[in-house]
Amino acid sequence: DVKVTQSSRYLVKRTGEKVFLECVQDMDHENMFWYRQDPGLGLRLIYFSYDVKMKEKGDIPEGYSVSREKKERFSLILESASTNQTSMYLCATLRASGYTFGSGTRLTVV
Amino acid sequence: GDSVTQMEGPVTLSEEAFLTINCTYTATGYPSLFWYVQYPGEGLQLLLKATKADDKGSNKGFEATYRKETTSFHLEKGSVQVSDSAVYFCALNNNAGNMLTFGGGTRLMVKP
């Protein structure tokens, strides 16, 4: 089975900090995604990547950027964290049989 | 654009009760439809899917039928268990990029 590993389960950061959320997959999948999950809003797509060094904006990219220097790693960056970015962040990969999600990183910005 | 609407939770049931979680969608063309489940502390897992009208997806006792005439994909289970307590997400895929559009999620709580 594909494994998608998110480096941190819980994070607490201060307003204005630069935050890195890391996601690593153990298969050779091109497609990787970052979503944020909020109660009542479901999952909303922040950014996705079809290949190394390629990135595309999703529905809510404002305040975020991403990095994909190696195929197995897709990083989400909060350039200057704000309290409205407190959320659960989910990474996913896509193959022919469907999506595989990581366990999520719950980020709290204080 | 595409959208998915599902009933708000939480839904609280006793063990062995019948479950229905409603899901309706708005999309052009012929999307594929999915139900994902998120158990506490875990990521989302695919529960079932249907790719064309009148298809029925099923898994672990859960079923959902793709109804194009009512643009619905309601999730049902005849007898829920405590272990079914989770958050359930309805989703659709309607583009070549295979990106998913999710509903807001419905929390199910099953009491013994």
Side-chain angles (χ1 to χ4, degrees):
Chain A
D1 277 352
V2 177
K3 282 197 71 175
V4 178
T5 303
Q6 295 185 230
S7 55
S8 301
R9 198 63 179 268
Y10 299 95
L11 275 179
V12 180
K13 297 293 181 181
R14 295 193 179 277
T15 300
E17 275 193 75
K18 189 169 187 176
V19 181
F20 292 85
L21 302 184
E22 305 290 343
C23 175
V24 178
Q25 53 144 330
D26 65 353
M27 294 294 287
D28 200 31
H29 297 163
E30 279 86 19
N31 302 313
M32 297 188 75
F33 304 81
W34 274 106
Y35 288 89
R36 67 177 279 175
Q37 179 184 356
D38 299 289
L41 298 177
L43 276 71
R44 293 177 292 168
L45 181 64
I46 305 171
Y47 267 96
F48 61 99
S49 170
Y50 286 135
D51 206 342
V52 176
K53 297 192 184 295
M54 294 185 66
K55 60 184 179 183
E56 297 286 342
K57 293 180 180 179
D59 298 320
I60 52 164
E62 295 78 19
Y64 304 94
S65 62
V66 290
S67 173
R68 184 116 183 251
E69 296 297 320
K70 294 183 179 180
K71 182 174 277 189
E72 67 268 20
R73 185 181 296 269
F74 191 35
S75 304
L76 180 69
I77 304 160
L78 286 66
E79 296 291 340
S80 177
S82 63
T83 54
N84 63 13
Q85 292 178 310
T86 292
S87 187
M88 170 72 86
Y89 290 88
L90 291 170
C91 176
T93 69
L94 175 64
R95 53 179 173 167
S97 59
Y99 279 72
T100 300
F101 285 86
S103 297
T105 297
R106 185 165 293 283
L107 172 67
T108 302
V109 182
V110 298
Chain B
D2 299 339
S3 66
V4 177
T5 302
Q6 56 183 108
M7 59 191 294
E8 291 189 23
V11 174
T12 303
L13 297 173
S14 296
E15 207 164 22
E16 299 184 1
F18 184 84
L19 168 71
T20 300
I21 299 178
N22 291 336
C23 170
T24 57
Y25 68 90
T26 302
T28 56
Y30 303 94
S32 295
L33 302 174
F34 305 83
W35 276 101
Y36 282 82
V37 58
Q38 184 181 33
Y39 297 105
E42 298 183 14
L44 275 68
Q45 303 173 27
L46 179 64
L47 181 60
L48 53 84
K49 67 178 182 181
T51 57
K52 61 183 188 297
D54 299 325
D55 266 3
K56 177 184 284 188
S58 61
N59 186 24
K60 299 182 181 180
F62 291 89
E63 293 183 341
T65 301
Y66 189 142
R67 301 287 189 199
K68 187 163 177 59
E69 64 276 13
T70 54
T71 62
S72 65
F73 192 54
H74 305 321
L75 183 68
E76 296 181 337
K77 186 175 185 183
S79 175
V80 293
Q81 305 300 313
V82 173
S83 58
D84 294 326
S85 297
V87 181
Y88 292 81
F89 292 91
C90 186
L92 69 81
N93 168 9
N94 194 27
N95 56 65
N98 284 309
M99 282 168 283
L100 293 171
T101 299
F102 287 88
T106 302
R107 181 175 300 278
L108 170 66
M109 299 170 59
V110 181
K111 298 186 174 182

